[in-house]
Amino acid sequence: MITMSIDTRMLAVPGASLRTGWWAAALLAQQISFAMCAAATTWIVVPADSQIAFSGQHAGNTFKGVFEKWDAAISFDPADLAGSKATVTVALASAKTGDQTYDKTLPTADWFDAAKGPSGVFETSAFRALGGDKFEADGTLAIRGMKAPVTLAFEFKPAGETAKLTGQAKLKRLDYGVGKGSDGDGSWVSLDIPVEISVSLKKG
C-alpha cells in the first residue's frame, strides 16, 4: 500500500495561510485515493456455481470427484498482481466421487488423514500474467502437515460486478504422503492427480 505523511502542525500554526492549508488537504485527499487504488479487488465465491474437482486413475479406470465443502479468500486485480492474494481452504473429508469404496477410503489415515488434519490449504505467493485473460498463480499447498509448491494456471474473466475463474493444476499425491503406505509406487492409483476449478465470483 502507498503511504504518505503530512505534518499536521502546519494546519495548527496561527496565521497559517489558506493556501498552505489547501495544499495539505489536497495531499491528504491524494493519500486516501492512493490507498484505495492500491488494494486489489476483494471477491466473494458464489458456492452454488463453483466447484473444485479432482480426477485420477485406479486400476486402469478413471475416477472423478469433487470437494463439497471449501472456502476461499480472494483479492485479485489483473492491474495489481503484486497486491493480489488468495487462500483456499478445503475440507478433506468432503471429497466425494460417487463410489462408496473410494469415499470411505479417502478420509482414512493413509490417504487424506482427515481426522488428524481436516483441511487442505492453498496459499498464493505470486501471480504472473500470460496475456489476455490467462494467468498463473504460484503457491503452496498443505495437506497432512506436508507442504509442496503448486502452480495454478487459470483464466480470469471479469464482467462488471462479477467474474469467472477457471483453472487447473497437477498435484503429486506423494508430495503429501497421500496413499504412500498402501500404494507408494502408483501400482493402483495414479501418482499425478489433476485438479480443476471453476469459480463464480462477485465483488465484496
Side-chain angles (χ1 to χ4, degrees):
M1 179 177 291
I2 300 173
T3 58
M4 297 176 62
S5 60
I6 297 175
D7 190 349
T8 54
R9 291 175 298 177
M10 295 177 63
L11 301 179
V13 176
S17 69
L18 178 62
R19 182 176 180 181
T20 301
W22 176 88
W23 177 80
L27 280 179
L28 180 60
Q30 187 179 47
Q31 176 185 3
I32 295 172
S33 177
F34 283 175
M36 292 176 64
C37 292
T41 304
T42 298
W43 297 93
I44 298 173
V45 174
V46 181
D49 193 32
S50 301
Q51 178 177 270
I52 297 178
F54 59 90
S55 60
Q57 296 285 320
H58 176 248
N61 298 312
T62 299
F63 65 86
K64 296 182 179 181
V66 298
F67 290 99
E68 294 185 337
K69 296 180 180 179
W70 57 276
D71 196 9
I74 302 173
S75 296
F76 183 75
D77 186 344
D80 183 18
L81 295 181
S84 297
K85 181 73 175 178
T87 301
V88 182
T89 304
V90 176
L92 298 175
S94 73
K96 301 298 180 185
T97 65
D99 183 292
Q100 290 187 0
T101 300
Y102 294 169
D103 293 351
K104 289 180 180 180
T105 301
L106 285 173
T108 61
D110 188 42
W111 294 84
F112 285 149
D113 199 9
K116 184 178 294 184
S119 299
V121 180
F122 175 69
E123 293 185 281
T124 62
S125 55
F127 289 88
R128 288 184 300 280
L130 302 181
D133 298 324
K134 296 182 178 181
F135 302 86
E136 283 185 341
D138 291 333
T140 300
L141 176 63
I143 300 176
R144 293 168 48 94
M146 303 179 189
K147 295 182 178 181
V150 172
T151 296
L152 174 72
F154 68 95
E155 291 188 2
F156 180 80
K157 296 184 177 182
E161 296 297 304
T162 65
K164 190 70 175 183
L165 190 157
T166 57
Q168 54 279 323
K170 183 175 289 186
L171 309 183
K172 295 185 179 298
R173 63 178 177 84
L174 293 186
D175 285 349
Y176 314 97
V178 175
K180 183 178 181 179
S182 57
D183 188 26
D185 62 0
S187 296
W188 291 95
V189 179
S190 52
L191 298 177
D192 292 339
I193 304 296
V195 174
E196 296 184 357
I197 66 171
S198 178
V199 183
S200 291
L201 302 166
K202 61 181 180 181
K203 287 185 178 179

